[in-house]
Amino acid sequence: MIQIDDAGSGSLVGGTCIGAMRVETGEFFCDVIPIEYYNEENFKNKLYLQKACEIGKKLLENLKVSKTEKIQICRGYMFDSLRKWLEQEEYNWESTQILNPLQDIIENSFENYALSLGLPEKFLRYTKYPFHFHRLLRWVYADYENRVKLCKTGWNSWKKYGKLEVEISYTYLQENKNYLCLKCGKNIQPGTAKVIKYTSNYPNTIYLHINC
C-alpha cells in the first residue's frame, strides 16, 4: 500500500515537502514544492497545487506503483489536483488521514529541509511550536533582506506583517542571560548587542551580535 502526505504547507519559511511511502517495505521518496510557487502571483493562481500533482506523479513513478495497488492520500487541499489525476487515470486510491510512520517521516524531512535553509537547530528542536508564524517572523526580521526570499509572500498574513517598520538600537546584556542571535544562530555573550524591535500582533524584541 502507498501513502502520500505533505509537510510544511503551514510554515511561513520554505516550500512544501511532498512524500510517498510503500508501507510494507518502507520505501520512501520526497520532493519539495519550491518557494517561488508561493509568491503573490503564483499563490493567487494556486500553482502550488499543480506542482504537488507533478511531484506526486513522479513519486508514484519512483515507487513503480501499479493502478491496482492501493493508494492512501492525505485528505488536505494540497492534493486537490493529484486526486483528480488519480481518478482520471483510474488508480485504486482513497482520501484519508495519514498517520505514522509516514507522518513523522515527512515532518522530519521538512525539518531537515528547513535546517538547510538556515533555521537554527536550537530554534527547531527546543521550541514547542517551531513553525508558528510569528516565531518564524522573528527569524525573518533578524536578517530581513536575505530571508524574505525564503517566505511564502503570497499569504495574506505576510501582506499584513511582512513589511513592518523596525527600530534598531544597541544595549548591554548582563551575565547569566541566555540570548540567542537569530541571525547567526549562536549564543550572545555578555556585552553590547544589537536590538531590533517591531510590533506585529504584539511587540517583539530581537537580539543580535553587534557585528551580525
Side-chain angles (χ1 to χ4, degrees):
M1 180 175 67
I2 303 298
Q3 291 186 328
I4 302 174
D5 201 0
D6 68 288
S9 61
S11 169
L12 170 64
V13 174
T16 299
C17 189
I18 306 294
M21 183 181 72
R22 178 170 280 113
V23 176
E24 295 82 0
T25 64
E27 295 170 89
F28 172 75
F29 293 94
C30 70
D31 202 351
V32 175
I33 300 174
I35 191 61
E36 55 263 30
Y37 282 81
Y38 291 92
N39 65 34
E40 186 170 1
E41 185 66 21
N42 289 338
F43 185 74
K44 180 177 67 175
N45 292 317
K46 298 185 177 181
L47 296 189
Y48 56 92
L49 297 182
Q50 297 177 23
K51 187 63 176 178
C53 182
E54 178 185 320
I55 291 174
K57 293 178 186 179
K58 183 181 72 174
L59 300 182
L60 293 177
E61 182 179 336
N62 290 343
L63 287 165
K64 297 179 174 59
V65 180
S66 70
K67 291 191 176 181
T68 57
E69 185 173 8
K70 187 173 182 179
I71 299 171
Q72 291 185 336
I73 185 169
C74 173
R75 60 170 68 107
Y77 70 91
M78 185 59 62
F79 298 110
D80 285 352
S81 294
L82 180 57
R83 277 189 287 268
K84 290 179 181 177
W85 179 80
L86 289 170
E87 186 67 24
Q88 291 170 358
E89 296 298 316
E90 299 182 343
Y91 276 87
N92 177 22
W93 70 280
E94 66 174 354
S95 288
T96 188
Q97 181 182 9
I98 304 297
L99 302 174
N100 285 329
L102 179 56
Q103 186 178 53
D104 280 351
I105 292 172
I106 191 67
E107 288 178 359
N108 288 337
S109 295
F110 182 77
E111 282 194 10
N112 290 331
Y113 161 68
L115 290 171
S116 76
L117 297 179
L119 280 173
E121 185 171 1
K122 289 182 179 179
F123 196 65
L124 293 181
R125 301 287 184 245
Y126 306 108
T127 304
K128 186 176 181 182
Y129 302 108
F131 296 107
H132 185 280
F133 177 86
H134 288 283
R135 291 183 184 274
L136 290 180
L137 195 65
R138 287 169 53 81
W139 183 78
V140 172
Y141 273 106
D143 190 9
Y144 187 89
E145 290 186 5
N146 291 313
R147 294 173 180 171
V148 64
K149 61 188 177 183
L150 303 176
C151 294
K152 294 183 174 77
T153 54
W155 282 7
N156 287 332
S157 51
W158 175 262
K159 295 174 186 177
K160 184 175 182 180
Y161 297 115
K163 298 180 181 179
L164 300 173
E165 292 186 8
V166 299
E167 174 189 333
I168 299 176
S169 60
Y170 297 86
T171 191
Y172 187 87
L173 298 181
Q174 303 293 331
E175 294 184 7
N176 301 321
K177 297 290 185 179
N178 187 22
Y179 291 102
L180 182 71
C181 176
L182 285 186
K183 186 169 183 178
C184 72
K186 298 179 181 178
N187 289 328
I188 303 175
Q189 300 301 316
T192 303
K194 187 176 182 179
V195 181
I196 298 176
K197 292 184 178 182
Y198 68 90
T199 299
S200 54
N201 62 335
Y202 55 87
N204 285 267
T205 301
I206 300 169
Y207 295 97
L208 308 177
H209 289 112
I210 192 169
N211 294 321
C212 277

